[in-house]
Amino acid sequence: MGEFLSLREAVARYVEDGQTVALEGFTHLIPFSAGHEIIRQGRRDLTVVRMTPDLVYDQLIGAGCVSKLIFGWGGNPGVGSLHRMRDAVENQYPRPIEVEEHSHAGLAERWRAGAAGLPFGVLRGYVGTSLADHTKTIASISCPFTGEELTAVPAIHPDVGIIHAQQADRDGNVMYWGITGVQKECVLASRHSIVTVEEVVDEFAIRTGGVVLPAWAVDAVAVVPGGPHPSYAHDYSERDNDFYASWDPIARSRDSFADWLAGVTGEAS
């Protein structure tokens, strides 16, 4: 419960081949360092969940770690496509992947239901779309009180949920603030959780909009300053916009991606 481990130890202990894993964070606090450690440890056949698959999932897919992607939107924010994801979907390279697409609202409701311990969530959504024709985890349901037709989506319960936060205290409690996304729901819905943090403090300051995750909800805390780079941690770092732009030519080519991957794994390309 809130045990302090190195990132390498945390991933080795909790992330296994064939699991469902979520790396959440919206705009900032994206746990890139954890994603890179999963790549270095060579995990395979992962089902990965994320509201907005961006560069970190492009990297995991390109490295051959992923067999299935559950998502709401995928792209390089402000730049364009995820080329390693496209290569996997269109050309089955480096391996075929299955995709399960939801709306943002639908996937957020799945997270909410998972965090609440409910079997499914309900929303007014997907109207006018064909997603239900292609996604088995979208179903129509009638309200037992009004008869209104609604949409039901099953709860998400990943084997491991991974987020980044600004601070942990010495007891393993975690605090984050800024754009909070579904990080809390990710931790509460997951069977195990890993949180990377910028620093350890003796006591949390009171912050408007701050979220505290109690130590009992967290399995492992790893101190990884700069862990969300090239995204950012509010009040700690700035977004590396140049990297997002440079990722496009890196990811377009299998060879240039292989060179980047070799730098992450420490292996010659």
Side-chain angles (χ1 to χ4, degrees), residues 197-219:
V197 298
E198 293 291 324
E199 64 172 341
V200 178
V201 298
D202 292 325
E203 185 176 354
F204 296 137
I206 297 174
R207 298 178 184 275
T208 301
V211 177
V212 175
L213 294 170
W216 58 258
V218 178
D219 288 285

Side-chain angles (χ1 to χ4, degrees), residues 237-259:
S237 58
E238 298 292 330
R239 188 178 191 268
D240 187 349
N241 293 317
D242 289 342
F243 185 89
Y244 282 85
S246 67
W247 182 253
D248 190 78
I250 292 172
R252 279 182 183 274
S253 163
R254 294 177 184 178
D255 290 339
S256 57
F257 176 78
D259 290 339

